[in-house]
Amino acid sequence: MSYIPQTPQKALPGAYVQTPAVSLVPACLNCTSNLLQHQSQALSQQGQGAQPETQRSNVGEIQPIARAARAVNEALSQESQYPDLDSYIGQGISSEYEVSTQAAWAPFQKTKMHTIPDRIFEQYNRAQVSTIMGLFANFNHAWIAIDNALYLWDYTHPNPDLVSYEDASHTITAVKLVVPRPGVFVPSIVRLLVVATTADIILVGMSAQTASHGGKTVSLYSLKMSAPVKSLDVDVIEGSHSTGRIFFSGRGSDDVYELTYQQEEKWFTNRCAKINHTNRGYSTFTPSLLFGQKAQQEIVTQMVVDNSRRLLYTLSSRSTIRAFFMRGSNGLDLVISKPLGQTLSNVGHMTSQTDLISPSMSIVSINAVTAQEAAKTNLVASTSTGCRLFMSATSAYGASPNSSTAPTSMQVQHVKFPPTGTSSPQQNQTSQSTQLTQYSNAPPVNTTSRALDPTRSVVRYAPGYFLTFVVKDQQAGLDLLFVSGPDTGRIAQPQLQQNPIKYPELALWLNLGSRAEDVGLASAEFLASSGPVGFGNELAVQFDKPTPEIAILTNTGVHMLRRRRLVDIFAAALRVGGGDEGLEGEVNHFVRRYGRAEVASTALAVACGQAFDVTSDSRLTRISDPEVLELARKTFIEYGGKPEYPENSVLDRSIPPIDVVRPSPRHAGVARYVSRLLRSIWSVPIIIENLTPTGGFQIATAVSLVKLRDISQDLTKLKEFLDANKSFIEGLAGPETRGNFGNKKDEVSLLAEHRALHALVVLIDRVIEGIAFVLVLYDEKIEETILSLTNETRQQVRNLSYEKLCTTDVGKMLAKDLVKAIVNRNILSGSNVETVAEALRRRCGSFCSADDVVIFKAQEYVKRGAEHGADSDVCRDYLNESLRLFKQVAGSLSMEQLQWAVEQYVALQFYAAAIQLCLDKALESDRGSRALSWIQDGRPQGDKRAEAFEGRRRCYDLIHQVILSVEQSRTQSPDFEGANLSLAGRRRREAADEIDHSDDEVFQTDLYDWYLKNNRADELLAVQSAYVVTYLERRSSDDIAHADLLWKYHVQKERFQDAATVQLALAKSQFELSLDQRIEYLGNARTNASTTRPGTVRSARTEVLRQVSDLLEVANIQSDLVQRLKSDERISADRKPSVIGELDGMILPLSVLFNTYCEPALYFDLCILIYEAAEHRVPSDIKATWQNLLERTHQRAVDKGHGSQPYEMIAEEVRSLGNKLGLSPTMFPVGELLPMLKRYAHHFQPERGSETWVLDIFIDLQVPFESIYATLENMFYNDEPPFQGRNRRLIGNDLVYIAKLWFQDSIRGSGSPFGGEDNAAAVSQLLHLVMQSGLDERRLEECQSLRMRIETLLR
């Protein structure tokens, strides 16, 4: 409910969700999966429903229970802002009433009439002097004074006993029931009867007890306290409830007296006496000159006490209103005297002259308005013409008076004129319309209506019930009753009215058929709040407080008048509204008056059985008519409105679309109804600690247990209604209704509606169980339970309200503590814990579930086992049973309970069980394996799955503690006793097996992390689990230490191929490794890959070995390049570190090595090695590179100028490169290299060194002789320069040299010369030609000799 109208924003272009202006809509509008991932705080509701939720928290999405609690708090806050009386009467005039002409809309109804007992009439017939009657309505008693006797009876009882007081010696003139001054009488005297007679005024004590039929029984006690009042003829008595002071006046004077009383007589004061606070008559207040005219004596006709402001008001027979300020010590000061003339003058400023407010009228009644109800309005004076004058008293400088300051002036603030027309009770009965005589469109104020003229008296009760008794027939003396009350719903919703009406009231005419003798409030005084704001909100308390009832005593009996609540009026209107055909008209009428949210709340209340009506036999019963309940259900479902999607709000990209949706008025109605059911308990503590008079400790409840049960029943009916109609209520059914949306806006709106309604349903369930828990708490010995708590917990319980209990985690944890205390107390007392826990579970499952019952039982088994000692079989049986139970409910164990169980198990050396329980708890806490998927995805930062891992890790931390405890136990008892395993050792081995055989990969991962964190790598390598490899493989990607452990683990398990694979990966990895380290990894990998084991797949091993060899070849080339660059003087000292750094790390591709480094740096030998590694087989490139190498080597030798000869450097270079290339026929082409070297030797190194140094290079490299011979043979036959003419002999010499060596080598071991006769013949033939080429003399002799030996062998 809201009370401040708001101007709707104008829609902006492009803001509609369906328009093409998508840039104005947050992107997440199309992501329904993320719609519920945000938290928001709703603004206050505005009449038709809740305001959009725009404030958000960084914590994330708020839980349903918190969302619903916020909705309830907002509803309570809004209803507490109901306008105060001063704000809606204002200064001015009004005459707006809605006078009911049909019983369904009547604001009040007569419930029954209690007849006067015959025994009273018997006493009445004996009357001789006078008879007066009255009511003690708050005690459901009436009284009659007949001459000098006083009789009381319970008017609600069909055959009451009379309680009489007959000790008076004189005729009784007045009787008043007042509250005694505290401490004067015994506590059983709850009231004083002030009995005035013609001679004295007497105090009679009265006690009251509740009778079996629900009423009150009273007893009278003579106090022997009286004071003389002769000649005063007392007829007006009034008492102060707060101070116990008693004031009176009589027909004989206008003085104001006070009756004082005390417990004992004192020196100068009697126990009972009277004080005249005015000392003299009328002249004391207002001096007057009579000039020969005899004036009628002014007397006091009415007294009213305002305890909140300590004021006593009096009304005189001349319509003068006086105000007295009640000081302490029995002081009473006249502070205001307002004659009728001043009152008329005040009214004259508000309206033009009218006969209703004129000197000819009189003020017939005054009624006080307390400070709790209004800050400014003090008094309501009613005139004989039916007008009501709202008067305000002010102190100095216009400030409102309070209980410590007296007012100094009084002004009329507002005048309420009588209703228009001359409606009568007969019209109420004959009209068939279900509507009211409306004051719509705010017609001009009627200042001439005589509808209430003449008014005999007016009685007012908070928050504005007026009972006006009108006497139309003076001779008959019969009263017509015009009863009115504020239209609370319209006052609460001023923004719904197009033309707001000042002080709207609902009214009704009733024919009493007799004269009213007295009026009394039969129920508790109305009080919706402790201050003016919110005080008069009847809607807020219609389900929380008893319905106000007023008793009217006439000479025919006591008429009971009941205030009808909005829920009662709505139910009655549905009943007579024409069924389904007339439903729309009735509902629309209510919506226009009270708003759709209020109508939804009221319809829901009717459907839940909150409406009452009076039956034909005058019984007040709940309306259970199926047709009415069905119409109410239909109203709630079909007229509850829809959620509203503010078009302009999508412009704010920071707010998710679901959070700007304003839930429907139906949601507001549910929240409002729930808040009204809970308002009396929501913020109050569940316990109140008191001390007994004897100093004992006592726990009391702030709300009666009966009240709690009633609230629980109402909430249960609401829950049943919502469950039964879930599929019909839009937004409550949830996801199953999705898919029938016209557009995305509708989908978002329905999601928001479902979120809001679902939250309220969750809250209703929680509160029902919360109340049940409190009832269980009080059923147990609550004092012992509270005293068993720790001081900190006890203080928290003192501050625990029903709201916190039902909506916060703190409240839930405190409830768990209380449940534990209850269970522990029952354990100590020997009670069956399972029975107690099961009872708790049935009544309040959220606070003590079935799992809690099992937990309590398991804990009890642990305690029983500990009592028998850790080594006993009985202890093991108990512990095994406790473990079975704990594992059964592992998911429900709190960390405190788990830690307690682990500590107990460790203390009893039940290590394996402690580990099992922790593993089960971890698994139950993450049933979806979100932690494992997080680990498998590389543990991304900011991922919500990390929370699941953290939850499991807390369980694993307890296992780590168990491991440490197991290790520590080894220092106290050995594993073996001789050759046998000890009991302690067996228990430790069980724990180790539990760890090794666990299939919880998350646990194994966490355990290995813990090993490494605590420098326990050796223990990790010793673990017999398949998860070690998985763990190390996963962690190897970002930690080289884990990678090293991985290949070591493989080697230890003799899985050499796997170790080689890891080492190969390390060599290729991005880790910061030097080139030498990578070569080392490759070397070890080659060794491991070369090692065979049974079961090894040969093809896989071959592939790994090939990859390792290839990469090692490249790495070696890169290593040679690094060494070459380090010694290369061409690179400056500044640049050399960066160049070396580029190469001393990752193994680079061959193309990079060749193009970036080797070729530019003229490292031709490395280029040839790169050709080999890259399988570059282009002969021209290879030949050119060899030629460049020779030239480069010769030039470097020449540049040095000393040391080795150039040919020596070339020979060494060719020899070294030949070894590296393995005499590859492609990379080391003898047919090309040999002629190339021979040409070099002829041109650059003639007559240097041995004449055969070129041949010796190939011989040293073990090039086959036949290859060398064939190459020389080609050179000899080709006659290529420079080996032409005479120079052919140089080739001839080489042929002889090689042929000789080949011959010697081939005949070793009885081999055939030159490998066969054909070769030998060919060689002999060539030698014959060579001899003709002009050989040297020495070579010629060697040639002839060799040829002869060949020929000899050929023969």
Side-chain angles (χ1 to χ4, degrees):
M1 192 180 300
S2 177
Y3 311 106
I4 303 176
Q6 300 230 343
T7 303
Q9 292 182 325
K10 183 178 179 181
L12 299 179
Y16 184 53
V17 179
Q18 297 292 82
T19 65
V22 293
S23 61
L24 300 178
V25 183
C28 60
L29 183 60
N30 294 319
C31 305
T32 56
S33 61
N34 295 327
L35 288 176
L36 299 178
Q37 302 301 316
H38 305 279
Q39 176 178 351
S40 61
Q41 296 182 347
L43 301 175
S44 62
Q45 299 171 350
Q46 297 291 334
Q48 298 298 316
Q51 284 296 309
E53 303 172 346
T54 55
Q55 299 182 22
R56 300 183 52 74
S57 166
N58 292 329
V59 180
E61 166 70 7
I62 64 176
Q63 296 300 314
I65 197 74
R67 186 181 304 281
R70 184 182 60 194
V72 170
N73 283 322
E74 288 173 355
L76 290 172
S77 175
Q78 291 150 13
E79 295 205 313
S80 69
Q81 299 303 312
Y82 179 87
D84 62 315
L85 177 64
D86 295 324
S87 67
Y88 63 80
I89 61 171
Q91 186 168 5
I93 62 175
S94 64
S95 64
E96 291 81 11
Y97 295 85
E98 288 197 13
V99 181
S100 174
T101 58
Q102 210 276 342
W105 281 86
F108 294 86
Q109 68 183 153
K110 289 174 64 175
T111 56
K112 63 174 60 179
M113 186 187 79
H114 303 284
T115 59
I116 298 175
D118 293 340
R119 295 174 60 187
I120 295 297
F121 284 114
E122 293 175 2
Q123 296 295 332
Y124 176 77
N125 292 332
R126 298 171 187 168
Q128 297 179 358
V129 180
S130 69
T131 301
I132 55 176
M133 301 174 68
L135 283 171
F136 303 147
N138 51 343
F139 289 92
N140 54 269
H141 273 64
W143 60 269
I144 184 170
I146 303 173
D147 296 338
N148 64 335
L150 176 65
Y151 301 98
L152 285 72
W153 75 94
D154 181 355
Y155 58 76
T156 64
H157 197 283
N159 188 24
D161 295 328
L162 296 184
V163 180
S164 62
Y165 173 75
E166 299 175 339
D167 294 343
S169 303
H170 302 86
T171 302
I172 296 175
T173 59
V175 177
K176 187 70 176 180
L177 191 66
V178 299
V179 177
R181 182 181 292 118
V184 177
F185 306 103
V186 294
S188 59
I189 302 299
V190 295
R191 292 293 188 272
L192 292 178
L193 273 178
V194 184
V195 182
T197 69
T198 55
D200 50 13
I201 187 166
I202 306 166
L203 294 182
V204 180
M206 188 182 88
S207 64
Q209 297 82 33
T210 302
S212 59
H213 64 276
K216 298 284 187 180
T217 60
V218 301
S219 302
L220 302 181
Y221 301 91
S222 176
L223 302 176
K224 300 189 182 302
M225 301 177 73
S226 63
V229 291
K230 288 183 179 181
S231 73
L232 290 182
D233 196 8
V234 175
D235 66 341
V236 179
I237 305 173
E238 189 61 51
S240 169
H241 294 334
S242 60
T243 63
R245 297 175 69 177
I246 302 171
F247 304 97
F248 62 92
S249 186
R251 300 185 186 95
S253 76
D254 57 353
D255 292 338
V256 175
Y257 293 86
E258 180 175 1
L259 181 65
T260 63
Y261 55 97
Q262 56 192 16
Q263 196 170 27
E264 297 177 351
E265 292 188 0
K266 297 184 179 179
W267 282 100
F268 301 104
T269 55
N270 297 324
R271 291 184 65 203
C272 188
K274 71 177 186 297
I275 300 174
N276 187 337
H277 284 292
T278 54
N279 297 322
R280 295 189 294 260
Y282 174 72
S283 60
T284 301
F285 310 123
T286 308
S288 62
L289 300 176
L290 301 180
F291 297 104
Q293 180 181 354
K294 185 176 180 179
Q296 184 180 0
Q297 173 68 41
E298 182 178 20
I299 62 174
V300 175
T301 59
Q302 187 182 0
M303 287 184 179
V304 178
V305 171
D306 182 356
N307 292 291
S308 63
R309 297 184 176 92
R310 296 172 61 184
L311 293 175
L312 169 67
Y313 299 102
T314 66
L315 174 65
S316 76
S317 56
R318 296 181 181 176
S319 299
T320 298
I321 300 173
R322 297 181 177 88
F324 297 84
F325 184 69
M326 295 185 290
R327 292 185 290 103
S329 302
N330 295 331
L332 189 69
D333 298 331
L334 174 65
V335 292
I336 296 174
S337 179
K338 193 171 188 64
L340 179 59
Q342 290 186 13
T343 302
L344 296 175
S345 177
N346 292 159
V347 176
H349 292 290
M350 300 180 188
T351 180
S352 58
Q353 186 174 359
T354 172
D355 292 340
L356 299 182
I357 306 292
S358 66
S360 62
M361 64 85 182
S362 62
I363 297 177
V364 295
S365 298
I366 57 173
N367 292 275
V369 179
T370 64
Q372 287 82 11
E373 186 176 357
K376 296 180 179 179
T377 304
N378 293 49
L379 193 71
V380 180
S382 301
T383 71
S384 58
T385 56
C387 297
R388 283 180 280 168
L389 312 179
F390 292 82
M391 311 183 79
S392 174
T394 57
S395 57
Y397 305 108
S400 298
N402 51 47
S403 60
S404 61
T405 61
T408 57
S409 64
M410 182 180 292
Q411 302 291 327
V412 178
Q413 294 294 321
H414 185 84
V415 179
K416 187 68 179 280
F417 285 92
T420 301
T422 56
S423 298
S424 65
Q426 288 73 21
Q427 290 178 296
N428 297 343
Q429 307 301 325
T430 59
S431 175
Q432 297 301 315
S433 172
T434 62
Q435 306 302 320
L436 300 180
T437 303
Q438 297 187 22
Y439 40 56
S440 58
N441 298 326
V445 177
N446 186 345
T447 61
T448 61
S449 174
R450 292 284 182 174
L452 301 180
D453 186 19
T455 294
R456 182 171 65 84
S457 67
V458 178
V459 178
R460 180 188 186 274
Y461 297 109
Y465 308 145
F466 284 90
L467 289 82
T468 304
F469 296 92
V470 183
V471 183
K472 291 296 185 181
D473 189 345
Q474 295 291 341
Q475 292 182 351
L478 302 180
D479 285 335
L480 291 177
L481 174 59
F482 182 77
V483 57
S484 63
D487 192 349
T488 309
R490 303 195 76 171
I491 294 173
Q493 303 278 4
Q495 73 274 15
L496 297 180
Q497 317 304 325
Q498 295 180 354
N499 298 294
I501 299 170
K502 183 179 293 185
Y503 194 10
E505 288 185 273
L506 298 173
L508 175 71
W509 282 99
L510 290 173
N511 190 348
L512 298 178
S514 57
R515 177 183 174 86
E517 300 294 338
D518 197 5
V519 180
L521 187 62
S523 57
E525 293 183 358
F526 183 89
L527 183 71
S529 70
S530 58
V533 177
F535 179 90
N537 194 347
E538 296 179 89
L539 297 178
V541 298
Q542 59 181 326
F543 313 122
D544 179 52
K545 293 182 179 294
T547 304
E549 283 192 306
I550 301 169
I552 305 172
L553 176 64
T554 69
N555 55 10
T556 58
V558 179
H559 300 263
M560 299 305 298
L561 194 63
R562 174 178 175 268
R563 170 66 163 171
R564 298 183 75 211
R565 306 168 301 166
L566 181 61
V567 65
D568 304 328
I569 295 174
F570 184 75
L574 292 179
R575 173 181 289 171
V576 300
D580 290 336
E581 294 77 11
L583 178 62
E584 183 175 0
E586 290 294 335
V587 172
N588 288 338
H589 178 65
F590 270 92
V591 170
R592 286 192 298 270
R593 291 169 62 88
Y594 305 121
R596 196 172 294 276
E598 187 62 48
V599 171
S601 176
T602 306
L604 181 61
V606 173
C608 293
Q610 288 286 2
F612 284 83
D613 201 2
V614 178
T615 62
S616 58
D617 58 350
S618 300
R619 290 185 300 107
L620 187 66
T621 60
R622 290 184 184 269
I623 295 178
S624 57
D625 184 348
E627 182 180 358
V628 174
L629 299 183
E630 174 59 23
L631 290 174
R633 185 192 77 89
K634 188 174 182 181
T635 300
F636 176 76
I637 294 174
E638 297 183 5
Y639 296 91
K642 294 182 177 294
E644 182 179 345
Y645 191 100
E647 307 292 355
N648 297 336
S649 299
V650 299
L651 296 175
D652 188 353
R653 294 175 177 269
S654 64
I655 304 174
I658 194 172
D659 288 340
V660 302
V661 175
R662 181 184 293 111
S664 69
R666 181 187 298 107
H667 166 266
V670 177
R672 195 170 296 176
Y673 179 56
V674 172
S675 71
R676 290 169 180 173
L677 293 178
L678 300 180
R679 61 177 289 115
S680 61
I681 68 170
W682 190 244
S683 300
V684 301
I686 64 172
I687 68 165
I688 298 177
E689 294 186 4
N690 294 321
L691 294 177
T692 63
T694 59
F697 178 71
Q698 185 180 43
I699 296 293
T701 174
V703 181
S704 71
L705 300 184
V706 174
K707 177 70 173 177
L708 287 176
R709 292 188 182 95
D710 290 342
I711 294 173
S712 180
Q713 290 176 2
D714 290 337
L715 289 173
T716 301
K717 291 179 182 177
L718 172 59
K719 178 179 181 297
E720 292 172 351
F721 174 83
L722 294 176
D723 289 344
N725 295 278
K726 181 178 181 180
S727 59
F728 304 105
I729 300 173
E730 184 178 356
L732 188 59
E736 58 266 28
T737 62
R738 297 170 62 179
N740 299 320
F741 306 113
N743 50 54
K744 184 62 67 175
K745 181 185 73 172
D746 293 341
E747 181 179 5
V748 174
S749 298
L750 188 62
L751 285 172
E753 179 79 356
H754 172 70
R755 182 176 69 172
L757 286 175
H758 171 70
L760 288 174
V761 172
V762 173
L763 176 64
I764 292 168
D765 283 335
R766 183 66 63 82
V767 175
I768 291 173
E769 293 191 354
I771 292 175
F773 172 74
V774 173
L775 293 175
V776 170
L777 189 62
Y778 279 97
D779 287 343
E780 295 289 327
K781 296 180 180 179
I782 188 171
E783 287 81 6
E784 295 181 9
T785 302
I786 297 300
L787 289 174
S788 67
L789 301 173
T790 64
N791 291 333
E792 180 182 359
T793 303
R794 183 174 166 186
Q795 181 59 45
Q796 290 178 320
V797 172
R798 288 193 198 104
N799 300 328
L800 182 64
S801 66
Y802 286 87
E803 177 190 3
K804 293 179 181 177
L805 172 68
C806 300
T807 64
T808 64
D809 292 336
V810 173
K812 193 170 184 178
M813 293 308 300
L814 289 176
K816 295 283 187 182
D817 291 339
L818 288 169
V819 169
K820 293 176 188 176
I822 293 173
V823 172
N824 291 336
R825 185 183 63 77
N826 281 274
I827 291 175
L828 294 175
S829 64
S831 302
N832 190 313
V833 175
E834 188 172 1
T835 302
V836 175
E838 181 63 23
L840 286 167
R841 183 197 65 77
R842 288 196 309 269
R843 300 179 65 179
C844 42
S846 293
F847 303 98
C848 182
S849 62
D851 289 351
D852 291 330
V853 175
V854 177
I855 292 170
F856 295 143
K857 190 173 182 179
Q859 290 174 333
E860 185 176 1
Y861 280 143
V862 172
K863 293 178 182 178
R864 290 181 183 178
E867 294 172 356
H868 290 81
D871 295 334
S872 69
D873 292 338
V874 176
C875 175
R876 285 298 155 196
D877 291 340
Y878 275 124
L879 293 180
N880 283 324
E881 182 62 17
S882 71
L883 176 61
R884 184 185 69 81
L885 295 175
F886 274 135
K887 293 178 69 174
Q888 181 179 333
V889 294
S892 300
L893 286 172
S894 67
M895 285 306 301
E896 292 77 9
Q897 291 168 333
L898 178 63
Q899 184 172 359
W900 180 88
V902 169
E903 290 173 353
Q904 297 299 315
Y905 284 160
V906 169
L908 297 171
Q909 298 183 3
F910 204 23
Y911 306 120
I915 295 171
Q916 284 183 38
L917 184 56
C918 292
L919 291 174
D920 283 5
K921 170 60 180 174
L923 180 62
E924 290 296 327
S925 68
D926 181 28
R927 299 289 295 176
S929 298
R930 299 173 72 242
L932 179 59
S933 65
W934 178 70
I935 292 173
Q936 292 173 340
D937 290 345
R939 310 189 186 197
Q941 294 293 327
D943 195 308
K944 289 188 176 181
R945 293 175 297 175
E947 298 175 3
F949 175 77
E950 288 300 315
R952 298 181 74 156
R953 189 178 60 79
R954 286 192 290 270
C955 301
Y956 302 147
D957 286 344
L958 295 177
I959 297 179
H960 303 160
Q961 296 177 17
V962 174
I963 294 173
L964 295 176
S965 298
V966 169
E967 293 175 351
Q968 186 178 4
S969 69
R970 284 196 173 92
T971 62
Q972 302 171 357
S973 58
D975 286 342
F976 290 90
E977 294 176 352
N980 299 321
L981 188 65
S982 65
L983 177 61
R986 186 168 67 252
R987 291 171 177 171
R988 287 191 284 267
R989 178 168 294 180
E990 290 173 354
D993 290 343
E994 198 66 43
I995 292 174
D996 288 344
H997 298 152
S998 171
D999 58 357
D1000 185 347
E1001 185 175 350
V1002 181
F1003 161 65
Q1004 297 288 358
T1005 299
D1006 179 77
L1007 177 66
Y1008 306 152
D1009 284 341
W1010 183 71
Y1011 279 152
L1012 297 180
K1013 181 179 179 181
N1014 293 276
N1015 299 319
R1016 293 169 171 252
D1018 293 340
E1019 295 182 43
L1020 171 61
L1021 296 176
V1023 171
Q1024 301 295 325
S1025 173
Y1027 293 113
V1028 175
V1029 174
T1030 303
Y1031 167 79
L1032 292 175
E1033 286 177 347
R1034 187 178 295 125
R1035 299 303 298 270
S1036 295
S1037 61
D1038 54 9
D1039 188 353
I1040 191 172
H1042 289 85
D1044 282 333
L1045 286 173
L1046 178 58
W1047 69 261
K1048 290 177 182 178
Y1049 185 83
H1050 285 314
V1051 170
Q1052 184 171 304
K1053 304 302 179 185
E1054 297 185 353
R1055 293 196 287 265
F1056 300 110
Q1057 180 180 330
D1058 294 335
T1061 302
V1062 175
Q1063 292 166 331
L1064 173 62
L1066 279 172
K1068 295 179 179 179
S1069 69
Q1070 300 289 332
F1071 293 126
E1072 293 185 1
L1073 297 171
S1074 68
L1075 184 60
D1076 290 341
Q1077 289 175 309
R1078 296 177 189 274
I1079 293 174
E1080 182 181 359
Y1081 279 126
L1082 290 172
N1084 292 333
R1086 183 165 58 183
T1087 301
N1088 289 321
S1090 301
T1091 305
T1092 59
R1093 289 281 300 167
T1096 302
V1097 180
R1098 181 178 181 85
S1099 59
R1101 183 179 68 84
T1102 302
E1103 176 61 21
V1104 173
L1105 186 60
R1106 183 192 65 77
Q1107 292 183 30
V1108 171
S1109 300
D1110 290 347
L1111 190 62
L1112 183 60
E1113 183 179 5
V1114 177
N1116 287 329
I1117 294 174
Q1118 186 169 330
S1119 178
D1120 291 344
L1121 176 60
V1122 170
Q1123 299 303 321
R1124 190 74 57 84
L1125 290 172
K1126 287 181 179 179
S1127 60
D1128 197 328
E1129 297 178 354
R1130 294 174 296 171
I1131 305 174
S1132 65
D1134 295 339
R1135 187 170 176 269
K1136 184 172 291 186
S1138 64
V1139 174
I1140 301 301
E1142 293 172 359
L1143 291 166
D1144 193 14
M1146 290 283 295
I1147 299 176
L1148 301 178
L1150 288 172
S1151 59
V1152 174
L1153 295 178
F1154 182 85
N1155 295 320
T1156 306
Y1157 298 98
C1158 295
E1159 187 177 43
L1162 304 181
Y1163 299 151
F1164 298 113
D1165 55 339
L1166 298 183
C1167 291
I1168 295 172
L1169 293 176
I1170 291 174
Y1171 289 158
E1172 173 65 17
E1175 297 183 358
H1176 185 73
R1177 299 291 187 261
V1178 180
S1180 59
D1181 292 343
I1182 297 171
K1183 181 179 179 180
T1185 305
W1186 274 105
Q1187 186 64 46
N1188 290 334
L1189 175 62
L1190 298 180
E1191 294 175 0
R1192 176 63 181 166
T1193 304
H1194 174 78
Q1195 188 60 45
R1196 284 193 292 115
V1198 172
D1199 292 342
K1200 282 185 177 181
H1202 58 83
S1204 300
Q1205 292 295 322
Y1207 79 91
E1208 293 177 334
M1209 292 185 63
I1210 287 179
E1212 183 60 29
E1213 188 73 43
V1214 174
R1215 192 177 290 111
S1216 173
L1217 197 54
N1219 286 325
K1220 291 179 180 179
L1221 294 173
L1223 300 181
S1224 168
T1226 305
M1227 294 300 120
F1228 195 83
V1230 177
E1232 297 289 343
L1233 289 178
L1234 182 56
M1236 193 180 302
L1237 288 172
K1238 288 298 294 180
R1239 284 192 292 272
Y1240 167 78
H1242 178 76
H1243 290 297
F1244 297 101
Q1245 300 290 305
E1247 300 179 0
R1248 297 284 181 92
S1250 170
E1251 63 179 7
T1252 62
W1253 67 267
V1254 172
L1255 301 179
D1256 291 340
I1257 294 175
F1258 295 96
I1259 295 172
D1260 292 344
L1261 291 174
Q1262 298 182 355
V1263 175
F1265 289 109
E1266 57 185 327
S1267 297
I1268 303 174
Y1269 179 83
T1271 302
L1272 292 174
E1273 182 181 15
N1274 290 333
M1275 292 179 64
F1276 184 81
Y1277 282 126
N1278 291 337
D1279 196 25
E1280 296 177 354
F1283 304 107
Q1284 296 174 327
R1286 183 173 177 77
N1287 288 338
R1288 290 187 66 191
R1289 62 184 177 83
L1290 298 178
I1291 302 302
N1293 291 335
D1294 290 341
L1295 281 171
V1296 174
Y1297 177 72
I1298 287 299
K1300 181 179 179 181
L1301 293 178
W1302 187 10
F1303 176 79
Q1304 294 174 355
D1305 180 74
S1306 64
I1307 62 175
R1308 289 176 186 170
S1310 303
S1312 299
F1314 302 107
E1317 291 184 359
D1318 293 340
N1319 288 340
V1323 170
S1324 176
Q1325 183 179 357
L1326 179 62
L1327 292 178
H1328 177 71
L1329 295 175
V1330 169
M1331 292 173 56
Q1332 301 173 8
S1333 63
L1335 296 177
D1336 295 339
E1337 184 177 350
R1338 181 174 60 84
R1339 292 297 182 191
L1340 181 61
E1341 293 177 358
E1342 291 178 357
C1343 183
Q1344 290 174 347
S1345 174
L1346 178 61
R1347 188 168 180 274
M1348 290 178 62
R1349 295 180 63 183
I1350 294 173
E1351 291 295 332
T1352 302
L1353 291 175
L1354 289 176
R1355 293 191 187 102

